[in-house]
Amino acid sequence: MTVINTNIASLVGMTNVENSTNELNTSLTRLSTGLKINSGEDDPAGLVASNTLGSQITAINQSITNSNRANDVLSTADAGLQQISTLLDQVRSLVQAGLNTGGLTPDEQQANQNQIDQALSAINTISANTTFAGEGLIDGSKGYTTQITAANAAKINSYSLSSVAFSGNSTVNLNANIKTAATQGTLYYGFVSGGLSSNTTLEVAGAGGTDVVNLSSGSSLSNVKSAINGVTSATGVIATQTAAVYGTATFGTAGSNNGLTFTDIQGKASNPSPSQSSSPRRLPTRLCRSAARRPRTP
C-alpha cells in the first residue's frame, strides 16, 4: 500500500522544485538590482568589502560636492574683490592726479575728491553685500576656529593673527612673554636763554603712529613737552620733563691717572663741540624726556 509521507520520489521532486525556485529568485534579484551580492548568503566576505567600498564612494562623492560648494564661495568672494580692486585703482589714480595742484582748478580738485568719496562708499557697499547663503565673505564678519595637534605644533615655527573672533565672550585672557623691555627715549638739544634759537620740526613716532610737531623760535622745554603730548592720541608718545643735574662729579680709585671726570656742558661758557648741541629729529619710543648731555672730558 502506497503512503504519501513515504513517497520518496515526490519528496525528491519537491526539493528540486524548491532549489530551482530559489535559484530563479536569486537570478531575478541580481537582474533587477544589477548587483552580484545582494545579501550575506551570496558572499559574506564580498559583502563586507562591498560595504566598505560603498562607504568610501559615498564620502568621496560628498567631498566632491563640498569642493564644488567651496569653489562657489571663492568665486563669489573673488568677484567682489575684483570690483574692490578696480575701485582702489581708480582712487589711486585720482589721488595721483590731485597732486598736480598747479594744473587743476579748485573745481576739478573737488570733483576728484567727490569721485574718491563715491568710490570709497561703493567699496563699503560691495564689502557689505558680498554674501553667500546669507553669510558675509569680505566684511570681516567671518570667524575661524583653528585646531592643531601636539604632533603638528612642533612643526610650526611662528604664526600671526590678523583678526580674532571671541565667540560671544567680551574678553580673552592672553599670556605674553616680554623678551626685550621698552626703552625710554631722550631728547637732547642746545637750549639757550629764551628757548629754541630757531624754528624746529620734530617727527614723533610711536606705537600709535607718526606725527610732525612744529616748534617756533623761542619755545621752552615746557612748550616742547606740551607740543609732543598734544599729539599723543595719534602717536602714543608721552613726554615728561626732567631737570638736569648740574655740576662736576669725579670718580677715581687709588693710584694715579685712573680717575674719570664728568662735567655738565651747561656749566661751561660755550658747548665743547657743535655735535653736542645737535637735535635728533625722531623719537622712536613711547616716553621721551629732556636732560643735559654730559660729555666725558679727557
Side-chain angles (χ1 to χ4, degrees):
M1 182 175 182
T2 302
V3 182
I4 296 177
N5 289 337
T6 60
N7 190 348
I8 302 300
S10 63
L11 293 176
V12 172
M14 184 179 295
T15 301
N16 293 333
V17 171
E18 290 178 353
N19 291 336
S20 298
T21 302
N22 292 333
E23 291 178 359
L24 179 60
N25 292 333
T26 301
S27 299
L28 292 175
T29 302
R30 291 176 179 176
L31 289 173
S32 62
T33 60
L35 301 175
K36 179 181 179 180
I37 303 173
N38 293 280
S39 62
E41 65 180 359
D42 295 334
D43 187 356
L47 180 62
V48 173
S50 176
N51 290 336
T52 303
L53 292 175
S55 299
Q56 294 177 355
I57 292 173
T58 302
I60 292 173
N61 290 334
Q62 185 60 47
S63 298
I64 294 174
T65 302
N66 293 342
S67 298
N68 292 334
R69 188 174 180 86
N71 185 61
D72 294 339
V73 174
L74 294 176
S75 298
T76 303
D78 183 66
L81 291 176
Q82 287 181 357
Q83 296 181 18
I84 291 176
S85 178
T86 301
L87 291 172
L88 289 176
D89 289 339
Q90 293 179 5
V91 170
R92 182 176 182 178
S93 177
L94 292 170
V95 171
Q96 190 69 22
L99 298 178
N100 186 17
T101 56
L104 296 177
T105 64
D107 293 338
E108 290 174 331
Q109 294 180 2
Q110 184 61 42
N112 288 341
Q113 183 61 50
N114 293 338
Q115 188 173 349
I116 290 175
D117 294 339
Q118 292 176 2
L120 295 177
S121 177
I123 289 174
N124 293 332
T125 302
I126 294 172
S127 175
N129 294 328
T130 303
T131 61
F132 186 89
E135 297 290 335
L137 298 180
I138 56 176
D139 59 350
S141 62
K142 299 294 290 183
Y144 298 90
T145 302
T146 302
Q147 296 180 351
I148 186 170
T149 63
N152 291 332
K155 302 177 183 178
I156 297 179
N157 295 326
S158 62
Y159 65 92
S160 62
L161 299 176
S162 58
S163 63
V164 178
F166 286 174
S167 300
N169 297 326
S170 58
T171 59
V172 173
N173 295 325
L174 298 176
N175 296 325
N177 296 324
I178 300 177
K179 295 182 178 180
T180 303
T183 58
Q184 176 176 284
T186 305
L187 172 65
Y188 297 95
Y189 72 94
F191 184 79
V192 296
S193 178
L196 294 177
S197 58
S198 61
N199 296 335
T200 304
T201 300
L202 298 178
E203 180 181 351
V204 185
T210 303
D211 205 339
V212 176
V213 175
N214 296 314
L215 300 170
S216 61
S217 176
S219 298
S220 64
L221 287 176
S222 298
N223 298 139
V224 175
K225 182 188 71 173
S226 299
I228 295 175
N229 290 336
V231 295
T232 298
S233 59
T235 63
V237 177
I238 301 175
T240 59
Q241 179 181 348
T242 304
V245 179
Y246 302 96
T248 300
T250 302
F251 303 88
T253 58
S256 60
N257 298 326
N258 58 0
L260 296 176
T261 302
F262 296 89
T263 304
D264 186 357
I265 62 174
Q266 295 193 14
K268 293 181 175 294
S270 60
N271 293 338
S273 64
S275 61
Q276 293 173 348
S277 61
S278 60
S279 302
R281 299 304 187 197
R282 188 174 181 85
L283 304 179
T285 54
R286 285 182 174 274
L287 183 62
C288 60
R289 59 186 176 87
S290 178
R293 187 189 297 274
R294 302 185 184 87
R296 191 178 80 176
T297 58

